[in-house]
Amino acid sequence: MSYVDIPNLAARLTDRDRLVLDDLEKHRLLSTRNIQALHFRVGAGNHLTIGAATKATTRVLQRLHAHHIISHLQRRIGGVRHGSQGNIWQLSSTGDRVQRFFRGEPGRTRYTEPSSLFTSHTLAVSSLVVQLRTLESEPSVELLSVEPEPQCWREYTGPQGTVQTLKPDLSAVTASGDFEDHWFIEADEGTEHLPQILAKCRSYASYAASGIEQHRLGVFPAVVWVTKDGARAASLSRAVASTPGLPVELFRFTTTENFIALITSGGAP
């Protein structure tokens, strides 16, 4: 194995490089388009045109890839015909060492090609993060925080006295005026069967019954299920409403297209 001068490599990174690496570490997988939307925006103080933003994104990602700091999966969004715009990126083992160097941490993580199921779900969650981050330039609604798994997971004692872990895909906090809204977010791709969805909803109900979140925040976050189409959202909503013991007021069901509209409305139906 060839020697890699991690301190020298780290010293050559720009502030934007580090932000890209931070997001790849935090969200695990990001597409080229995700990264462009997050870090190469068009508008005041940024790139003048989409074309300029796309070129800059490609240039930065190619440079980080050439230094073996990031890598792209063999699988691409849209297949080979989409070229580099279809790439799905993750930290490499060298990139992990660079991140640990900045934090003064020892050790390393080996990065491998994830399964297609993991990739698809992770990208669905990442796309919701990108949508939430657009609120950073929204004057009427402020994004205070967004946390992916496992940072957003919650431990609690279940009804049988055993320690349980609630595992949302994301948690977020937004603010409008003097009001804060708290959210647990689930990305549903239509691959899970209804009993699995209802079991997850029961976990949320059980966690709500523990009172932990309400004691900490004063409220329990709204649980938002984000689906690919309206028919799926309506089907899940009906299933929850007809299941005894599930507090329907905890849950919201929407589509990817209408996700931000729900968030900015404070979860109003």
Side-chain angles (χ1 to χ4, degrees), residues 82-193:
H82 280 73
S84 61
Q85 283 297 301
N87 281 335
I88 302 166
W89 298 93
Q90 65 178 357
L91 279 184
S92 67
S93 297
T94 297
D96 174 75
R97 291 174 62 194
V98 168
Q99 290 293 88
R100 289 175 184 273
F101 170 80
F102 282 124
R103 294 192 295 267
E105 294 177 359
R108 66 177 67 187
T109 299
R110 185 178 177 218
Y111 286 79
T112 58
E113 186 89 6
S115 69
S116 59
L117 188 62
F118 176 89
T119 298
S120 179
H121 183 70
T122 302
L123 287 177
V125 176
S126 297
S127 293
L128 296 180
V129 171
V130 171
Q131 288 197 55
L132 286 168
R133 294 270 289 270
T134 64
L135 295 175
E136 292 170 343
S137 58
E138 177 67 39
S140 59
V141 180
E142 184 181 1
L143 178 65
L144 300 182
S145 69
V146 56
E147 288 190 326
E149 56 181 348
Q151 291 92 335
C152 66
W153 291 357
R154 305 288 200 267
E155 283 194 352
Y156 66 102
T157 302
Q160 308 302 320
T162 58
V163 176
Q164 306 288 323
T165 303
L166 180 73
K167 298 182 177 181
D169 290 330
L170 289 171
S171 68
V173 182
T174 56
S176 179
D178 295 330
F179 298 94
E180 286 188 3
D181 291 306
H182 295 255
W183 314 92
F184 286 133
I185 301 165
E186 294 284 344
D188 171 70
E189 294 194 275
T191 56
E192 290 189 322
H193 298 300

Side-chain angles (χ1 to χ4, degrees), residues 190-236:
T191 56
E192 290 189 322
H193 298 300
L194 190 55
Q196 294 173 290
I197 300 291
L198 293 176
K200 189 67 173 285
C201 289
R202 290 189 187 94
S203 294
Y204 278 109
S206 180
Y207 180 55
S210 75
I212 295 173
E213 207 77 8
Q214 298 92 316
H215 178 73
R216 186 171 69 90
L217 302 174
V219 297
F220 190 82
V223 182
V224 182
W225 287 89
V226 187
T227 68
K228 288 186 174 181
D229 60 74
R232 172 74 171 178
S235 175
L236 297 184

Side-chain angles (χ1 to χ4, degrees), residues 11-23:
R12 297 165 67 180
L13 296 176
T14 67
D15 290 343
R16 183 161 61 182
D17 292 341
R18 291 194 59 183
L19 291 173
V20 170
L21 297 186
D22 287 345
D23 271 343

Side-chain angles (χ1 to χ4, degrees), residues 25-41:
E25 182 176 43
K26 187 175 185 179
H27 301 297
R28 297 180 290 187
L29 296 175
L30 291 171
S31 69
T32 298
R33 294 187 186 279
N34 287 157
I35 293 171
Q36 180 170 330
L38 290 171
H39 299 291
F40 299 83
R41 296 175 181 172

